């Protein structure tokens, strides 16, 4: 049986249209245009592309976006001053600090400095705490994008065994949190794996839904999955010949999976769509709070 290809690009595009319509209504009702401020430190080409894509998506959906570029020798103090300024700016509703940051800057200190109501990446401990208690203020973008793909593809999650590969604060941990919550597209039994996990293939073969977020090109092979598994591939890796590949060996795994996301065109576009949704949520929260 050929696997269904979960078309993240098309699903994200429909979601973005919905966000654009909701944004237009919000602007008409309040006279306020939601604004995302992106902060890019240094000149990492991949980060610059990510930020540009996020900005373009904002503009297409009727949100304002501004870019604050700082050079790679920027000190932590200087970056914190900018974050403070954006926190205080009433016209800025969401703040995105593009990672990674240069070595001299402590990421946690900077992310903790973003005002929780403007934390559209959902990295602030207050927002992660709310999420873990099942009352999220913002959705963690990539994990929420994965959950949305499961819902749109009518994948049964209730009682399913979801295995998450990776325990990062950005993807793995919040992904597991979302899937274990009570509610729609959740209610799963979740296992989180990481680099110290023993006998990984034994665990991945038990997955009804496998979510790979390791940053290891084509790590998950057909031998590691069972027939009929649903596979979401979060990984974005560039091979030596410049090709973009995921954490899953797509060709072999697709022969066993019932549904699978491609790379590119799977999870990636969803991350951006969720960022737009969070920026609109942030504008709503700040408008109702003022
Ligand atoms: P991190 O490097 O922060 O985390 C990787 C995780 O994978 C860690 O928990 C690590 O374990 C685990 N891991 C690494 N190697 C192995 C292994 N051999 N066996 C088991 N576990 C392993 O990465 P991120 O979570 O930030 O990103 C993961 C991937 O997703 C990357 O390719 C990244 O580019 C991509 N990404 C894609 C996004 C999108 O929009 N599509 C958004 C964000 C990320 P340990 O903790 O023990 O070190």
């Amino acid at each position: 049986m050929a696997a269904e290809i979960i078309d993240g690009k098309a699903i994200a595009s429909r979601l973005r249209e919905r966000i654009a319509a909701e944004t237009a209504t919000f602007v008409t009702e309040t006279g306020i245009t939601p604004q995302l401020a992106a902060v890019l430190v240094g000149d990492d080409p991949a980060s610059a592309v990510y930020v540009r894509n996020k900005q373009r998506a904002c503009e297409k959906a009727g949100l304002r976006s501004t870019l604050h570029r700082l050079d790679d020798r920027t000190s932590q103090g200087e970056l914190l001053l900018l974050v403070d300024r954006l926190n205080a700016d009433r016209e800025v509703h969401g703040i995105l600090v593009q990672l990674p940051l240069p070595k001299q800057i402590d990421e946690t200190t900077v992310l903790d400095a973003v005002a929780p109501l403007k934390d559209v990446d959902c990295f602030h401990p207050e927002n992660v705490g709310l999420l873990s208690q099942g009352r999220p203020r913002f959705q963690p973008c990539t994990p929420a994008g994965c959950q949305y793909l499961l819902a749109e593809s009518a994948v049964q999650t209730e009682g399913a065994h979801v295995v998450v590969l990776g325990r990062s604060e950005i993807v793995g941990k919040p992904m597991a949190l979302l899937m274990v919550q009570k509610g729609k597209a959740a209610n799963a039994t979740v296992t989180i794996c990481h680099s110290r996990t023993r006998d990984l293939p034994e665990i991945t073969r038990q997955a009804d839904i496998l979510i790979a977020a390791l940053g290891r090109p084509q790590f998950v092979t057909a031998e590691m999955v069972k027939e009929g598994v649903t596979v979401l591939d979060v990984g974005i890796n560039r091979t030596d010949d410049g090709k973009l590949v995921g954490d899953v060996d797509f060709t072999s795994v697709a022969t066993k999976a019932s549904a699978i996301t491609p790379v590119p065109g799977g999870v990636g576009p969803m991350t951006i769509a969720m960022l737009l949704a969070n920026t609109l949520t942030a504008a709503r929260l700040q408008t109702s709070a003022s």
Side-chain angles (χ1 to χ4, degrees), residues 37 201 245 259:
V245 297

Side-chain angles (χ1 to χ4, degrees), residues 147 150 157-167 171-182 185-193 203 206-211:
Q147 191 181 35
L150 293 173
T157 60
E158 182 150 336
H161 186 190
V162 173
V163 174
V164 179
L165 298 182
R167 59 174 164 181
V171 190
K173 270 194 216 167
M175 185 74 247
L177 266 178
L178 285 183
M179 296 313 300
V180 83
Q181 301 290 0
K182 292 181 178 166
N187 274 329
T189 302
V190 180
T191 303
I192 307 179
C193 300
I203 298 170
Q206 294 171 32
D208 301 309
I209 299 169
L210 183 65
I211 304 177

Side-chain angles (χ1 to χ4, degrees), residues 50 142 165-172 193-197 200 212-216 219 233-237 247 267-269 271-272:
Y50 291 144
T142 302
L165 298 182
R167 59 174 164 181
S168 72
E169 304 301 332
I170 297 175
V171 190
C193 300
H194 47 80
S195 67
R196 313 295 166 91
T197 298
L200 192 70
L214 308 106
R216 302 260 178 260
F219 180 91
D233 189 351
V234 180
I236 303 176
N237 311 286
D247 289 347
V267 174
T271 299
I272 296 184

Side-chain angles (χ1 to χ4, degrees), residues 28-107:
T28 309
E29 284 173 1
T30 63
I32 294 165
T33 304
Q35 181 179 174
L36 176 74
V39 179
L40 179 60
V41 188
D43 40 31
D44 175 50
S47 293
V49 171
Y50 291 144
V51 168
R52 200 178 319 127
N53 289 343
K54 289 169 186 173
Q55 285 201 286
R56 276 202 198 124
C58 276
E59 281 143 26
K60 273 195 185 164
L63 303 151
R64 275 178 70 197
S65 78
T66 43
L67 175 61
H68 301 264
R69 277 200 95 131
L70 302 174
D71 76 52
D72 61 358
R73 286 158 308 172
T74 300
S75 70
Q76 180 167 304
E78 286 167 319
L79 179 54
L80 288 172
L81 275 179
L82 172 61
V83 170
D84 277 350
R85 192 155 64 73
L86 297 172
N87 283 341
D89 186 338
R90 291 173 62 88
E91 289 189 3
V92 169
H93 303 97
I95 301 171
L96 166 124
V97 180
Q98 183 64 45
L99 302 178
L101 292 169
K103 284 188 297 291
Q104 71 276 18
I105 298 174
D106 179 54
E107 280 183 2

